[in-house]
C-alpha cells in the first residue's frame, strides 16, 4: 500500500481560544496512494474554512514503518468527535 510518494504525515492545526494548536493528523501511509491522502487534506481545509476556523497544516516525512510521532486523532476522528456536535 505504501509507496515512496506517500511517506508523510500532515498535522492539522486549528485556532482554539486564540492559540494555534495541533488538532489532528493525516497519515498518508494509510491511504491507497498520495493523491487520496492529499484529497483528505483538501477536504479538511475546506471544512475548517467553512466553519471559519483558522488553521494550517505542517508536513513531515516519515519512513514506511515509523510510528506517528504525535498523539492526535486522525481527521475522521477529529471531524466526527469535535466538529459534529
Amino acid at each position: 500500500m505504501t509507496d515512496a510518494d506517500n511517506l508523510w504525515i500532515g498535522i492539522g492545526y486549528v485556532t482554539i481560544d486564540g492559540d494555534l494548536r495541533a488538532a489532528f493528523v493525516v497519515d498518508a501511509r494509510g491511504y491507497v496512494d498520495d493523491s487520496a491522502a492529499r484529497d483528505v487534506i483538501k477536504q479538511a481545509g475546506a471544512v475548517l474554512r467553512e466553519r471559519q476556523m483558522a488553521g494550517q497544516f505542517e508536513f513531515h516525512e516519515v519512513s514506511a514503518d515509523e510510528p506517528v510521532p504525535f498523539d492526535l486523532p486522525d481527521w475522521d476522528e477529529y471531524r466526527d468527535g469535535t466538529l459534529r456536535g
Side-chain angles (χ1 to χ4, degrees), residues 13-80:
Y13 288 82
V14 297
T15 302
I16 301 170
D17 296 329
D19 294 322
L20 198 58
R21 297 185 189 166
F24 61 90
V25 63
V26 174
D27 186 343
R29 299 169 297 179
Y31 295 89
V32 66
D33 59 27
D34 189 65
S35 178
R38 292 186 185 280
D39 286 346
V40 171
I41 293 288
K42 290 175 188 174
Q43 175 197 33
V47 169
L48 294 176
R49 281 189 302 279
E50 180 181 287
R51 293 179 175 267
Q52 299 181 342
M53 298 173 71
Q56 67 183 41
F57 293 94
E58 178 180 282
F59 298 93
H60 301 270
E61 290 183 13
V62 293
S63 63
D65 59 353
E66 183 178 349
V68 175
F70 305 96
D71 185 24
L72 295 168
D74 66 22
W75 166 245
D76 291 332
E77 294 166 335
Y78 179 79
R79 181 193 62 215
D80 294 346

